[in-house]
Amino acid sequence: SAVISQKPSRDICQRGTSLTIQCQVDSQVTMMFWYRQQPGQSLTLIATANQGSEATYESGFVIDKFPISRPNLTFSTLTVSNMSPEDSSIYLCSVDIQGLDGYTFGSGTRLTVV
Amino acid sequence: GENVEQHPSTLSVQEGDSAVIKCTYSDSASNYFPWYKQELGKRPQLIIDIRSNVGEKKDQRIAVTLNKTAKHFSLHITETQPEDSAVYFCAAGGGSNYKLTFGKGTLLTVNP
């Protein structure tokens, strides 16, 4: 199965600052997904990151707030910009290894904004 | 877009009993239906999945059934054990954009 390394695992940030989360996969994947999981809630898709093209954002999420990079087939970053306490969540990357083990999640980044 | 409804939101069973969690979806283009188990403080872990070309899949004590006509699918856990206690999420997707939409989750508690 795919091994996904996500970092940082947690961070406490000041409001108004930005945090970049990294996601590294041990195999090449076409699509990488970024999810947000607010405390006690389900997983909400932020955007789909494709290599070589702009990320596709879901309703309610915009590029200025959550810029995404996808420089190659094994790596992606999500930046949470101009943070407010409402951005406190767990952020997870996910990949789809078609035909192998479905969608796999990284270990997540627990973000607290103070 | 896809909409996934999951029931119940909480489920409490006695050890050894069976547990059933049900989900419905709205997008007939969805063809992939995974179930995830999330223990407190950990990432969601895929426990079983089913694709639209089959109606049932079983893996030891866990089984999933799919009714594409009715657009619903269910997770069945038999002979539950305390370590089955967790939040379970269903999801649907895998269409042309490959993205998954998740249900709101079911907190399963297995009482010894």
Side-chain angles (χ1 to χ4, degrees), chain A residues 20-55:
Chain A
T20 296
I21 302 166
Q22 299 180 5
C23 184
Q24 178 78 51
V25 190
D26 67 346
S27 55
Q28 294 185 343
V29 294
T30 304
M31 293 184 176
M32 297 178 75
F33 305 92
W34 287 98
Y35 284 85
R36 181 174 75 180
Q37 187 174 29
Q38 295 180 304
Q41 303 295 313
S42 184
L43 296 102
T44 301
L45 182 64
I46 298 171
T48 303
N50 299 320
Q51 195 269 334
S53 64
E54 292 286 331

Side-chain angles (χ1 to χ4, degrees), chain A residues 35 37 42 58 101 103 105, chain B residues 36 38 43 46 98-99 103:
Chain A
Y35 284 85
Q37 187 174 29
S42 184
E58 297 301 305
D101 58 1
Y103 294 73
F105 283 90
Chain B
Y36 289 86
Q38 188 174 34
R43 77 185 82 183
L46 179 70
Y98 294 96
K99 65 182 184 182

Side-chain angles (χ1 to χ4, degrees), chain B residues 51-64:
Chain B
R51 299 188 186 269
S52 58
N53 57 345
V54 297
E56 184 173 356
K57 183 177 179 181
K58 189 173 182 180
D59 183 4
Q60 298 183 349
R61 298 187 294 110
I62 297 173
V64 57

Side-chain angles (χ1 to χ4, degrees), chain B residues 69-88:
Chain B
T69 303
K71 295 196 186 72
H72 65 71
F73 56 112
S74 300
L75 177 71
H76 304 253
I77 306 174
T78 58
E79 301 172 19
T80 54
Q81 302 166 2
E83 50 265 40
D84 293 329
S85 297
V87 178
Y88 290 81

